[in-house]
PDB file of all heavy atoms in Angstrom:
ATOM      1  N   TYR A  93       7.498  22.484  -4.365  1.00 92.00           N
ATOM      2  CA  TYR A  93       8.039  23.104  -5.529  1.00 92.00           C
ATOM      3  C   TYR A  93       9.025  24.243  -5.072  1.00 92.00           C
ATOM      4  O   TYR A  93      10.176  24.364  -5.492  1.00 92.00           O
ATOM      5  CB  TYR A  93       6.991  23.702  -6.432  1.00 92.00           C
ATOM      6  CG  TYR A  93       7.526  24.583  -7.479  1.00 92.00           C
ATOM      7  CD1 TYR A  93       8.311  24.117  -8.535  1.00 92.00           C
ATOM      8  CD2 TYR A  93       7.189  25.958  -7.480  1.00 92.00           C
ATOM      9  CE1 TYR A  93       8.763  25.025  -9.502  1.00 92.00           C
ATOM     10  CE2 TYR A  93       7.670  26.808  -8.485  1.00 92.00           C
ATOM     11  CZ  TYR A  93       8.430  26.344  -9.527  1.00 92.00           C
ATOM     12  OH  TYR A  93       8.925  27.125 -10.428  1.00 92.00           O
ATOM     13  N   LEU A  94       8.574  25.042  -4.035  1.00 91.00           N
ATOM     14  CA  LEU A  94       9.448  26.106  -3.476  1.00 91.00           C
ATOM     15  C   LEU A  94      10.713  25.537  -2.889  1.00 91.00           C
ATOM     16  O   LEU A  94      11.781  26.106  -3.102  1.00 91.00           O
ATOM     17  CB  LEU A  94       8.720  26.902  -2.453  1.00 91.00           C
ATOM     18  CG  LEU A  94       7.676  27.900  -2.916  1.00 91.00           C
ATOM     19  CD1 LEU A  94       6.986  28.590  -1.824  1.00 91.00           C
ATOM     20  CD2 LEU A  94       8.331  28.955  -3.856  1.00 91.00           C
ATOM     21  N   GLU A  95      10.536  24.408  -2.214  1.00 91.00           N
ATOM     22  CA  GLU A  95      11.746  23.851  -1.562  1.00 91.00           C
ATOM     23  C   GLU A  95      12.690  23.308  -2.640  1.00 91.00           C
ATOM     24  O   GLU A  95      13.879  23.448  -2.540  1.00 91.00           O
ATOM     25  CB  GLU A  95      11.291  22.678  -0.612  1.00 91.00           C
ATOM     26  CG  GLU A  95      10.621  23.188   0.603  1.00 91.00           C
ATOM     27  CD  GLU A  95       9.985  22.086   1.435  1.00 91.00           C
ATOM     28  OE1 GLU A  95       9.804  20.953   0.971  1.00 91.00           O
ATOM     29  OE2 GLU A  95       9.664  22.379   2.645  1.00 91.00           O
ATOM     30  N   TYR A  96      12.156  22.718  -3.705  1.00 92.00           N
ATOM     31  CA  TYR A  96      12.934  22.175  -4.832  1.00 92.00           C
ATOM     32  C   TYR A  96      13.778  23.281  -5.509  1.00 92.00           C
ATOM     33  O   TYR A  96      14.972  23.074  -5.784  1.00 92.00           O
ATOM     34  CB  TYR A  96      11.986  21.457  -5.788  1.00 92.00           C
ATOM     35  CG  TYR A  96      12.776  20.954  -7.003  1.00 92.00           C
ATOM     36  CD1 TYR A  96      13.665  19.930  -6.995  1.00 92.00           C
ATOM     37  CD2 TYR A  96      12.574  21.641  -8.242  1.00 92.00           C
ATOM     38  CE1 TYR A  96      14.298  19.454  -8.093  1.00 92.00           C
ATOM     39  CE2 TYR A  96      13.284  21.183  -9.354  1.00 92.00           C
ATOM     40  CZ  TYR A  96      14.129  20.162  -9.292  1.00 92.00           C
ATOM     41  OH  TYR A  96      14.805  19.689 -10.431  1.00 92.00           O
ATOM     42  N   ILE A  97      13.132  24.422  -5.821  1.00 91.00           N
ATOM     43  CA  ILE A  97      13.883  25.516  -6.501  1.00 91.00           C
ATOM     44  C   ILE A  97      14.672  26.396  -5.550  1.00 91.00           C
ATOM     45  O   ILE A  97      15.336  27.248  -5.999  1.00 91.00           O
ATOM     46  CB  ILE A  97      12.943  26.275  -7.387  1.00 91.00           C
ATOM     47  CG1 ILE A  97      11.924  27.042  -6.528  1.00 91.00           C
ATOM     48  CG2 ILE A  97      12.274  25.447  -8.505  1.00 91.00           C
ATOM     49  CD1 ILE A  97      11.115  28.103  -7.348  1.00 91.00           C
ATOM     50  N   LYS A  98      14.432  26.195  -4.218  1.00 90.00           N
ATOM     51  CA  LYS A  98      15.172  26.994  -3.259  1.00 90.00           C
ATOM     52  C   LYS A  98      14.905  28.433  -3.428  1.00 90.00           C
ATOM     53  O   LYS A  98      15.829  29.293  -3.383  1.00 90.00           O
ATOM     54  CB  LYS A  98      16.627  26.704  -3.283  1.00 90.00           C
ATOM     55  CG  LYS A  98      17.010  25.228  -2.893  1.00 90.00           C
ATOM     56  CD  LYS A  98      18.484  24.984  -3.003  1.00 90.00           C
ATOM     57  CE  LYS A  98      18.925  23.639  -2.604  1.00 90.00           C
ATOM     58  NZ  LYS A  98      18.156  22.493  -2.956  1.00 90.00           N
ATOM     59  N   ALA A  99      13.627  28.817  -3.618  1.00 84.00           N
ATOM     60  CA  ALA A  99      13.269  30.247  -3.834  1.00 84.00           C
ATOM     61  C   ALA A  99      13.482  31.043  -2.525  1.00 84.00           C
ATOM     62  O   ALA A  99      13.125  30.594  -1.451  1.00 84.00           O
ATOM     63  CB  ALA A  99      11.842  30.333  -4.284  1.00 84.00           C
ATOM     64  N   ARG A 100      14.076  32.190  -2.683  1.00 84.00           N
ATOM     65  CA  ARG A 100      14.359  33.071  -1.559  1.00 84.00           C
ATOM     66  C   ARG A 100      14.077  34.530  -2.005  1.00 84.00           C
ATOM     67  O   ARG A 100      14.255  34.883  -3.156  1.00 84.00           O
ATOM     68  CB  ARG A 100      15.818  33.015  -1.138  1.00 84.00           C
ATOM     69  CG  ARG A 100      16.274  31.604  -0.660  1.00 84.00           C
ATOM     70  CD  ARG A 100      15.640  31.225   0.655  1.00 84.00           C
ATOM     71  NE  ARG A 100      15.991  29.922   1.137  1.00 84.00           N
ATOM     72  CZ  ARG A 100      15.355  28.775   0.988  1.00 84.00           C
ATOM     73  NH1 ARG A 100      14.257  28.824   0.268  1.00 84.00           N
ATOM     74  NH2 ARG A 100      15.835  27.715   1.483  1.00 84.00           N
ATOM     75  N   PHE A 101      13.677  35.350  -1.025  1.00 83.00           N
ATOM     76  CA  PHE A 101      13.471  36.766  -1.275  1.00 83.00           C
ATOM     77  C   PHE A 101      14.882  37.437  -1.158  1.00 83.00           C
ATOM     78  O   PHE A 101      15.719  37.013  -0.330  1.00 83.00           O
ATOM     79  CB  PHE A 101      12.582  37.414  -0.281  1.00 83.00           C
ATOM     80  CG  PHE A 101      11.141  37.055  -0.510  1.00 83.00           C
ATOM     81  CD1 PHE A 101      10.519  36.021   0.253  1.00 83.00           C
ATOM     82  CD2 PHE A 101      10.353  37.704  -1.434  1.00 83.00           C
ATOM     83  CE1 PHE A 101       9.165  35.678   0.014  1.00 83.00           C
ATOM     84  CE2 PHE A 101       9.053  37.360  -1.683  1.00 83.00           C
ATOM     85  CZ  PHE A 101       8.458  36.342  -0.919  1.00 83.00           C
ATOM     86  N   THR A 102      15.099  38.414  -2.016  1.00 81.00           N
ATOM     87  CA  THR A 102      16.404  39.203  -1.946  1.00 81.00           C
ATOM     88  C   THR A 102      16.264  40.183  -0.898  1.00 81.00           C
ATOM     89  O   THR A 102      15.372  41.044  -0.864  1.00 81.00           O
ATOM     90  CB  THR A 102      16.681  39.837  -3.326  1.00 81.00           C
ATOM     91  OG1 THR A 102      16.657  38.838  -4.321  1.00 81.00           O
ATOM     92  CG2 THR A 102      18.016  40.535  -3.309  1.00 81.00           C
ATOM     93  N   GLU A 103      17.162  40.150   0.093  1.00 83.00           N
ATOM     94  CA  GLU A 103      17.102  41.068   1.227  1.00 83.00           C
ATOM     95  C   GLU A 103      17.472  42.514   0.794  1.00 83.00           C
ATOM     96  O   GLU A 103      18.229  42.704  -0.201  1.00 83.00           O
ATOM     97  CB  GLU A 103      18.090  40.693   2.289  1.00 83.00           C
ATOM     98  CG  GLU A 103      17.702  39.411   2.992  1.00 83.00           C
ATOM     99  CD  GLU A 103      18.625  39.044   4.199  1.00 83.00           C
ATOM    100  OE1 GLU A 103      18.942  39.989   4.972  1.00 83.00           O
ATOM    101  OE2 GLU A 103      19.057  37.850   4.272  1.00 83.00           O
ATOM    102  N   HIS A 104      16.943  43.468   1.486  1.00 85.00           N
ATOM    103  CA  HIS A 104      17.215  44.869   1.259  1.00 85.00           C
ATOM    104  C   HIS A 104      16.885  45.370  -0.169  1.00 85.00           C
ATOM    105  O   HIS A 104      17.667  46.139  -0.737  1.00 85.00           O
ATOM    106  CB  HIS A 104      18.607  45.254   1.637  1.00 85.00           C
ATOM    107  CG  HIS A 104      19.095  44.705   2.937  1.00 85.00           C
ATOM    108  ND1 HIS A 104      18.575  45.107   4.142  1.00 85.00           N
ATOM    109  CD2 HIS A 104      20.003  43.684   3.249  1.00 85.00           C
ATOM    110  CE1 HIS A 104      19.142  44.419   5.144  1.00 85.00           C
ATOM    111  NE2 HIS A 104      19.957  43.549   4.627  1.00 85.00           N
ATOM    112  N   THR A 105      15.815  44.804  -0.731  1.00 81.00           N
ATOM    113  CA  THR A 105      15.422  45.113  -2.106  1.00 81.00           C
ATOM    114  C   THR A 105      14.022  45.657  -2.108  1.00 81.00           C
ATOM    115  O   THR A 105      13.124  45.158  -1.520  1.00 81.00           O
ATOM    116  CB  THR A 105      15.466  43.815  -2.983  1.00 81.00           C
ATOM    117  OG1 THR A 105      16.768  43.250  -2.929  1.00 81.00           O
ATOM    118  CG2 THR A 105      15.124  44.131  -4.384  1.00 81.00           C
ATOM    119  N   VAL A 106      13.885  46.794  -2.823  1.00 81.00           N
ATOM    120  CA  VAL A 106      12.572  47.331  -2.995  1.00 81.00           C
ATOM    121  C   VAL A 106      11.863  46.609  -4.142  1.00 81.00           C
ATOM    122  O   VAL A 106      12.601  46.196  -5.118  1.00 81.00           O
ATOM    123  CB  VAL A 106      12.674  48.859  -3.360  1.00 81.00           C
ATOM    124  CG1 VAL A 106      11.321  49.498  -3.623  1.00 81.00           C
ATOM    125  CG2 VAL A 106      13.367  49.596  -2.220  1.00 81.00           C
ATOM    126  N   GLN A 107      10.539  46.406  -4.087  1.00 80.00           N
ATOM    127  CA  GLN A 107       9.857  45.679  -5.119  1.00 80.00           C
ATOM    128  C   GLN A 107      10.365  44.231  -5.212  1.00 80.00           C
ATOM    129  O   GLN A 107      10.503  43.650  -6.375  1.00 80.00           O
ATOM    130  CB  GLN A 107       9.898  46.356  -6.444  1.00 80.00           C
ATOM    131  CG  GLN A 107       9.215  47.738  -6.446  1.00 80.00           C
ATOM    132  CD  GLN A 107       7.782  47.684  -6.197  1.00 80.00           C
ATOM    133  OE1 GLN A 107       7.068  46.822  -6.566  1.00 80.00           O
ATOM    134  NE2 GLN A 107       7.253  48.742  -5.560  1.00 80.00           N
ATOM    135  N   GLU A 108      10.679  43.612  -4.145  1.00 82.00           N
ATOM    136  CA  GLU A 108      11.207  42.226  -4.121  1.00 82.00           C
ATOM    137  C   GLU A 108      10.216  41.271  -4.752  1.00 82.00           C
ATOM    138  O   GLU A 108      10.589  40.159  -5.177  1.00 82.00           O
ATOM    139  CB  GLU A 108      11.601  41.803  -2.727  1.00 82.00           C
ATOM    140  CG  GLU A 108      10.400  41.613  -1.728  1.00 82.00           C
ATOM    141  CD  GLU A 108       9.898  42.838  -1.068  1.00 82.00           C
ATOM    142  OE1 GLU A 108      10.380  43.979  -1.401  1.00 82.00           O
ATOM    143  OE2 GLU A 108       8.978  42.738  -0.272  1.00 82.00           O
ATOM    144  N   ASP A 109       8.928  41.618  -4.860  1.00 83.00           N
ATOM    145  CA  ASP A 109       7.937  40.766  -5.398  1.00 83.00           C
ATOM    146  C   ASP A 109       8.276  40.412  -6.885  1.00 83.00           C
ATOM    147  O   ASP A 109       8.089  39.259  -7.279  1.00 83.00           O
ATOM    148  CB  ASP A 109       6.545  41.413  -5.434  1.00 83.00           C
ATOM    149  CG  ASP A 109       5.918  41.539  -4.062  1.00 83.00           C
ATOM    150  OD1 ASP A 109       6.654  41.587  -3.035  1.00 83.00           O
ATOM    151  OD2 ASP A 109       4.678  41.626  -3.958  1.00 83.00           O
ATOM    152  N   ILE A 110       8.781  41.358  -7.611  1.00 83.00           N
ATOM    153  CA  ILE A 110       9.051  41.154  -9.042  1.00 83.00           C
ATOM    154  C   ILE A 110      10.174  40.115  -9.196  1.00 83.00           C
ATOM    155  O   ILE A 110      10.013  39.183  -9.947  1.00 83.00           O
ATOM    156  CB  ILE A 110       9.438  42.491  -9.671  1.00 83.00           C
ATOM    157  CG1 ILE A 110       8.212  43.463  -9.646  1.00 83.00           C
ATOM    158  CG2 ILE A 110       9.898  42.271 -11.194  1.00 83.00           C
ATOM    159  CD1 ILE A 110       8.598  44.907 -10.021  1.00 83.00           C
ATOM    160  N   ILE A 111      11.240  40.283  -8.488  1.00 84.00           N
ATOM    161  CA  ILE A 111      12.354  39.361  -8.593  1.00 84.00           C
ATOM    162  C   ILE A 111      11.908  37.970  -8.166  1.00 84.00           C
ATOM    163  O   ILE A 111      12.235  36.990  -8.817  1.00 84.00           O
ATOM    164  CB  ILE A 111      13.594  39.853  -7.726  1.00 84.00           C
ATOM    165  CG1 ILE A 111      14.073  41.205  -8.372  1.00 84.00           C
ATOM    166  CG2 ILE A 111      14.694  38.817  -7.685  1.00 84.00           C
ATOM    167  CD1 ILE A 111      15.083  41.867  -7.449  1.00 84.00           C
ATOM    168  N   TRP A 112      11.256  37.880  -7.060  1.00 86.00           N
ATOM    169  CA  TRP A 112      10.801  36.580  -6.501  1.00 86.00           C
ATOM    170  C   TRP A 112       9.871  35.876  -7.446  1.00 86.00           C
ATOM    171  O   TRP A 112       9.995  34.691  -7.648  1.00 86.00           O
ATOM    172  CB  TRP A 112      10.167  36.794  -5.097  1.00 86.00           C
ATOM    173  CG  TRP A 112       9.944  35.492  -4.383  1.00 86.00           C
ATOM    174  CD1 TRP A 112      10.797  34.850  -3.589  1.00 86.00           C
ATOM    175  CD2 TRP A 112       8.693  34.770  -4.356  1.00 86.00           C
ATOM    176  NE1 TRP A 112      10.227  33.726  -3.075  1.00 86.00           N
ATOM    177  CE2 TRP A 112       8.929  33.641  -3.559  1.00 86.00           C
ATOM    178  CE3 TRP A 112       7.464  34.930  -4.959  1.00 86.00           C
ATOM    179  CZ2 TRP A 112       7.928  32.681  -3.330  1.00 86.00           C
ATOM    180  CZ3 TRP A 112       6.558  34.006  -4.752  1.00 86.00           C
ATOM    181  CH2 TRP A 112       6.770  32.853  -3.919  1.00 86.00           C
ATOM    182  N   THR A 113       8.903  36.631  -8.011  1.00 85.00           N
ATOM    183  CA  THR A 113       7.936  35.986  -8.925  1.00 85.00           C
ATOM    184  C   THR A 113       8.666  35.432 -10.105  1.00 85.00           C
ATOM    185  O   THR A 113       8.352  34.325 -10.611  1.00 85.00           O
ATOM    186  CB  THR A 113       6.873  37.048  -9.404  1.00 85.00           C
ATOM    187  OG1 THR A 113       6.175  37.484  -8.219  1.00 85.00           O
ATOM    188  CG2 THR A 113       5.998  36.421 -10.394  1.00 85.00           C
ATOM    189  N   LEU A 114       9.628  36.113 -10.709  1.00 83.00           N
ATOM    190  CA  LEU A 114      10.396  35.588 -11.818  1.00 83.00           C
ATOM    191  C   LEU A 114      11.106  34.279 -11.399  1.00 83.00           C
ATOM    192  O   LEU A 114      11.145  33.352 -12.157  1.00 83.00           O
ATOM    193  CB  LEU A 114      11.354  36.622 -12.308  1.00 83.00           C
ATOM    194  CG  LEU A 114      10.823  37.710 -13.194  1.00 83.00           C
ATOM    195  CD1 LEU A 114      11.829  38.834 -13.472  1.00 83.00           C
ATOM    196  CD2 LEU A 114      10.295  37.149 -14.543  1.00 83.00           C
ATOM    197  N   GLN A 115      11.706  34.340 -10.295  1.00 85.00           N
ATOM    198  CA  GLN A 115      12.523  33.217  -9.772  1.00 85.00           C
ATOM    199  C   GLN A 115      11.578  32.035  -9.570  1.00 85.00           C
ATOM    200  O   GLN A 115      11.919  30.879  -9.978  1.00 85.00           O
ATOM    201  CB  GLN A 115      13.143  33.508  -8.420  1.00 85.00           C
ATOM    202  CG  GLN A 115      13.897  32.468  -7.719  1.00 85.00           C
ATOM    203  CD  GLN A 115      14.440  32.887  -6.393  1.00 85.00           C
ATOM    204  OE1 GLN A 115      14.213  33.997  -5.906  1.00 85.00           O
ATOM    205  NE2 GLN A 115      15.039  31.916  -5.718  1.00 85.00           N
ATOM    206  N   VAL A 116      10.370  32.220  -9.068  1.00 87.00           N
ATOM    207  CA  VAL A 116       9.466  31.120  -8.848  1.00 87.00           C
ATOM    208  C   VAL A 116       8.822  30.654 -10.178  1.00 87.00           C
ATOM    209  O   VAL A 116       8.716  29.453 -10.425  1.00 87.00           O
ATOM    210  CB  VAL A 116       8.379  31.537  -7.850  1.00 87.00           C
ATOM    211  CG1 VAL A 116       7.256  30.526  -7.769  1.00 87.00           C
ATOM    212  CG2 VAL A 116       9.007  31.688  -6.514  1.00 87.00           C
ATOM    213  N   ALA A 117       8.426  31.587 -11.032  1.00 83.00           N
ATOM    214  CA  ALA A 117       7.694  31.254 -12.257  1.00 83.00           C
ATOM    215  C   ALA A 117       8.484  30.535 -13.285  1.00 83.00           C
ATOM    216  O   ALA A 117       8.015  29.679 -13.990  1.00 83.00           O
ATOM    217  CB  ALA A 117       7.081  32.521 -12.819  1.00 83.00           C
ATOM    218  N   ILE A 118       9.809  30.847 -13.344  1.00 84.00           N
ATOM    219  CA  ILE A 118      10.601  30.402 -14.487  1.00 84.00           C
ATOM    220  C   ILE A 118      10.676  28.869 -14.619  1.00 84.00           C
ATOM    221  O   ILE A 118      10.807  28.285 -15.655  1.00 84.00           O
ATOM    222  CB  ILE A 118      12.017  31.005 -14.435  1.00 84.00           C
ATOM    223  CG1 ILE A 118      12.682  30.933 -15.792  1.00 84.00           C
ATOM    224  CG2 ILE A 118      12.904  30.306 -13.395  1.00 84.00           C
ATOM    225  CD1 ILE A 118      12.072  31.946 -16.743  1.00 84.00           C
ATOM    226  N   SER A 119      10.584  28.145 -13.480  1.00 85.00           N
ATOM    227  CA  SER A 119      10.647  26.692 -13.471  1.00 85.00           C
ATOM    228  C   SER A 119       9.345  25.998 -13.325  1.00 85.00           C
ATOM    229  O   SER A 119       9.240  24.747 -13.330  1.00 85.00           O
ATOM    230  CB  SER A 119      11.610  26.211 -12.358  1.00 85.00           C
ATOM    231  OG  SER A 119      12.882  26.780 -12.551  1.00 85.00           O
TER     232      SER A 119
END
Side-chain angles (χ1 to χ4, degrees):
Y93 170 67
L94 282 177
E95 290 171 344
Y96 173 74
I97 65 169
K98 297 176 177 41
R100 300 290 182 263
F101 287 97
T102 305
E103 292 186 45
H104 312 294
T105 303
V106 177
Q107 299 294 328
E108 69 278 3
D109 290 26
I110 297 169
I111 296 168
W112 190 86
T113 296
L114 283 171
Q115 179 185 359
V116 170
I118 201 74
S119 300

